[in-house]
Amino acid sequence: MPSTGTTVAQLGERGLLTRVLANIPASRDAELGAGDDAAVLHAPDGRVVITVDTMNEGPDFRRDWSSGEDLGRKAIASNLADIAAMGARPTGLVIALALPGSLPDAWVEDFARGLSCALDECAPGVGIVGGDLATAERIQISVTAFGDLERRAPVVRSGARSGDVIALAGDAGRSAAGLALLAAYANDEPLEQLRESCGPGGTALLAAQLRPVAPIAAGPAAARASASAMMDVSDGLLLDAHRMAEASNVTMRFERALLEPFAERLARELSESPGLPDDPLELVLRGGEDHALLATFPVDVVLPEAFTRIGEVLPPEPSRLLLDDEGREPIGWDPFSN
Ligand SMILES: Nc1ncnc2c1ncn2[C@@H]1O[C@H](COP(=O)(O)OP(=O)(O)OP(=O)(O)O)[C@@H](O)[C@H]1O
Ligand SMILES: Cc1ncc(C[n+]2csc(CCOP(=O)(O)O)c2C)c(N)n1
Ligand SMILES: [Mg+2]
């Protein structure tokens, strides 16, 4: 993207809207898209699934690590994962952006490209139906996403039953491994150099952190296959599974042998980045931001293609979380204590 050297302040709200609106896809489900006071979205099921999530420069991302395109992609993955986690099909999004006046306009075009590419790749036909522009000292990105249940019941966190299989669609620990690489090296090395020194495996982990890809289609697939409970894993497998276990009043037991392939993949990808981190299985258990789908299914169900079995649901025990027979604490990401 050739930079014209123009800033957001020079472009102004109108100019910015023209730039942004020119580059974002429309939604197949929009009767009226962006451009008026509000949008009109179809709700074929009659019920609407709604979620909102905010990313703030500083606590949630750094501009020297994430490009505009990275953040556009991450905003789509993290928000559509919440819609998918209800078993719903995404129908549209609205995006509120607060930008510093000094931000180059190329950043905004880059961001819009990230939105479009991620939508094309993981939810074709879903688009941005509106948004809001404001100014702030640091970038804030707030996304509201909508979804349709297609006449199914929502797949809630409280539906896990003793005897169910626990399954995962998507990555575990790879995004956190990418963040660990950034934290360990990126202050001394430019990102390009870091990509070279950590090899293709490390580069893939950086991408998992900066541009996570969520298995959006797996959400409705799980619902069609009678998933009993589901959520996206944003704060870490143990912490999010603990939320599901509490809501369902069950114990979730993960099998070490079934998680080992995730840890082995991580170990391979980290092999050219010595000194990092100590135990890949701990990253699999505690790492957040992969936006994988954690679901439970009755034991006789054939798991949808995207899902891998990782454990089983037990009746409530003193420990809500077990790794084989060892009790585990719900340790993961908490935005207020990190
Ligand atoms: N400010 C708020 N007002 C009302 N409800 C809230 C507020 N913040 C969070 N919640 C609700 O609390 C629940 C848990 O929120 P949390 O952010 O942990 O989960 P989530 O929405 O799945 O997040 P993630 O984006 O990390 O997947 C959600 O149902 C959310 O709507
Ligand atoms: C610069 C920088 N600092 C920290 C992190 C880690 N981080 C941010 S949000 C989040 C979990 C999901 O958040 P939420 O629950 O709000 O959706 C995590 C693990 C990062 N990626 N970049
Ligand atoms: Mg969630």
Side-chain angles (χ1 to χ4, degrees):
M1 176 79 39
S3 172
T4 56
T6 313
T7 65
V8 159
Q10 287 167 316
L11 210 56
E13 189 177 31
R14 279 295 116 198
L16 213 45
L17 276 174
T18 320
R19 288 283 173 94
V20 179
L21 288 179
N23 289 302
I24 53 174
S27 209
R28 218 180 272 157
D29 284 273
E31 184 172 312
L32 183 65
D36 217 303
D37 298 296
V40 180
L41 202 56
H42 291 141
D45 174 89
R47 299 166 294 175
V48 179
V49 180
I50 308 169
T51 175
V52 63
D53 195 40
T54 304
M55 296 195 292
N56 283 328
E57 182 179 349
D60 294 329
F61 65 86
R62 285 172 45 160
R63 228 192 296 167
D64 56 341
W65 292 355
S66 295
S67 69
E69 182 175 346
D70 291 337
L71 291 165
R73 286 175 174 272
K74 195 165 186 170
I76 295 300
S78 59
N79 284 278
L80 293 193
D82 279 317
I83 296 290
M86 301 308 294
R89 171 184 72 82
T91 52
L93 307 109
V94 290
I95 304 200
L97 273 181
L99 306 173
S102 58
L103 193 68
D105 69 334
W107 186 95
V108 188
E109 290 182 14
D110 222 30
F111 178 74
R113 188 152 33 106
L115 297 173
S116 309
C117 292
L119 285 167
D120 274 353
E121 286 165 22
C122 74
V126 180
I128 316 295
V129 299
D132 183 42
L133 286 171
T135 186
E137 277 176 27
R138 301 210 273 185
I139 300 173
Q140 299 167 356
I141 304 164
S142 181
V143 179
T144 302
F146 302 89
D148 188 75
L149 284 164
E150 301 177 314
R151 301 189 175 279
R152 295 180 296 266
V155 187
V156 293
R157 295 176 182 191
S158 55
R161 294 291 169 261
S162 164
D164 285 353
V165 164
I166 307 174
L168 192 73
D171 288 338
R174 295 183 70 241
S175 178
L179 185 60
L181 283 172
L182 288 165
Y185 297 116
N187 287 326
D188 305 322
E189 290 179 38
L191 271 197
E192 266 329 298
Q193 205 179 313
L194 172 57
R195 286 194 173 96
E196 264 172 48
S197 59
C198 67
T203 300
L205 294 173
L206 292 174
Q209 158 62 211
L210 298 173
R211 317 181 152 194
V213 178
I216 303 306
R224 288 192 294 270
S226 311
S228 46
M230 184 155 54
M231 65 190 300
D232 76 313
V233 183
S234 53
D235 296 337
L237 190 56
L238 287 175
L239 184 51
D240 283 329
H242 188 261
R243 292 171 176 148
M244 183 180 279
E246 291 236 289
S248 301
N249 190 28
V250 294
T251 283
M252 312 263 291
R253 178 177 182 272
F254 297 104
E255 277 182 48
R256 186 182 283 269
L258 298 176
L259 290 173
E260 210 52 68
F262 292 92
E264 281 163 12
R265 178 180 185 189
L266 261 187
R268 271 196 309 277
E269 290 182 307
L270 283 167
S271 63
E272 287 178 60
S273 310
L276 256 184
D278 31 346
D279 182 353
L281 186 62
E282 287 306 309
L283 271 178
V284 170
L285 291 166
R286 300 186 199 186
E289 292 190 289
D290 287 306
H291 301 287
L293 295 177
L294 172 70
T296 58
F297 295 88
V299 70
D300 53 351
V301 160
V302 177
L303 295 182
E305 205 185 342
F307 284 88
T308 308
R309 185 168 72 91
I310 58 170
E312 65 182 323
V313 181
L314 302 179
E317 294 189 11
S319 179
R320 289 259 181 232
L321 295 171
L322 296 174
L323 178 62
D324 289 341
D325 297 320
E326 169 205 350
R328 292 294 309 240
E329 292 300 310
I331 299 170
W333 174 259
D334 181 328
F336 292 101
S337 56
N338 277 276

